Amino acid sequence: MESLDQLYWWVLIIAGLGTFIYMLFSDAFDLFEGWFNPAVILSFLALGAGIGLILNALAHVSPMIGLAVALVGSFALTTLLYLFVLLPLSNAEESIGMTDESLVGLVGRLTVPVPEGGYGEVLVESVIGSVVKTAQSIDGKAISADRRVVIIEVERNIAVVMEYDEPTIRKENG
């Protein structure tokens, strides 16, 4: 019983740390969708470990029965969490005024420089409001801060940008 409690604690600690790390870097690692989303897997592990700890402490049931109840309970709660929280949130837009598709072609200003091969931040202002997006250079080259950029596309919530030079109108002598 003691070793099962230790296993539950380790799973709970690792799932908690994994959730924290995933929260910090979820925009960059938005590769998985559906049930294989790290948020779903980590919540399944954390809920299962939590239910197992509670059952071992309070119910005094057989370790195998406790493990089975923890897994079934965790699956049920994770399913509810996915269907009623995570799925609706993933389908929601960040802003009521601007969708990712509407940002394509807009000119913004870098508030955080884009290092070579890395990520910066672009501010797009319009009459409906302002949006700040993580930015990545289209050719992987560095772009300094306070530069104007045009958004080429938005992939996985990251704006792919290139430097924008204001067109000038020249008077022709003639």
Side-chain angles (χ1 to χ4, degrees), residues 66-80:
L67 179 63
V69 170
L71 290 175
V72 170
S74 177
F75 182 77
L77 290 174
T78 303
T79 301
L80 292 173

Side-chain angles (χ1 to χ4, degrees), residues 104-108 148-153 160-164:
V104 174
L106 294 181
V107 176
R148 293 176 58 81
V149 294
V150 63
I151 298 177
I152 305 301
E153 64 180 328
V160 179
V161 300
M162 65 183 283
E163 287 191 53
Y164 176 76

Side-chain angles (χ1 to χ4, degrees), residues 85-96 98-100 157:
V85 177
L86 295 176
L87 193 60
L89 283 177
S90 69
N91 293 330
E93 289 290 332
E94 288 180 13
S95 169
I96 295 172
M98 292 186 195
T99 63
D100 284 349
N157 209 22

Side-chain angles (χ1 to χ4, degrees), residues 9-151:
W9 276 112
W10 278 110
V11 169
L12 189 62
I13 290 168
I14 291 170
L17 287 173
T19 302
F20 180 73
I21 291 169
Y22 179 70
M23 275 184 357
L24 293 177
F25 300 109
S26 63
D27 284 343
F29 299 109
D30 199 16
L31 303 174
F32 305 101
E33 292 184 16
W35 291 98
F36 296 109
N37 184 332
V40 175
I41 295 169
L42 292 169
S43 65
F44 173 78
L45 293 172
L47 286 168
I51 292 170
L53 280 170
I54 291 170
L55 284 175
N56 280 349
L58 299 178
H60 303 292
V61 295
S62 162
M64 295 315 284
I65 292 174
L67 179 63
V69 170
L71 290 175
V72 170
S74 177
F75 182 77
L77 290 174
T78 303
T79 301
L80 292 173
L81 175 73
Y82 176 74
L83 292 176
F84 295 112
V85 177
L86 295 176
L87 193 60
L89 283 177
S90 69
N91 293 330
E93 289 290 332
E94 288 180 13
S95 169
I96 295 172
M98 292 186 195
T99 63
D100 284 349
E101 292 82 24
S102 70
L103 293 174
V104 174
L106 294 181
V107 176
R109 181 177 50 86
L110 286 181
T111 56
V112 174
V114 177
E116 188 170 330
Y119 299 96
E121 189 175 81
V122 61
L123 170 68
V124 179
E125 297 175 311
S126 73
V127 292
I128 15 181
S130 301
V131 173
V132 177
K133 283 276 192 196
T134 303
Q136 175 182 9
S137 174
I138 191 167
D139 53 8
K141 294 182 182 174
I143 305 174
S144 61
D146 291 330
R147 289 286 303 174
R148 293 176 58 81
V149 294
V150 63
I151 298 177

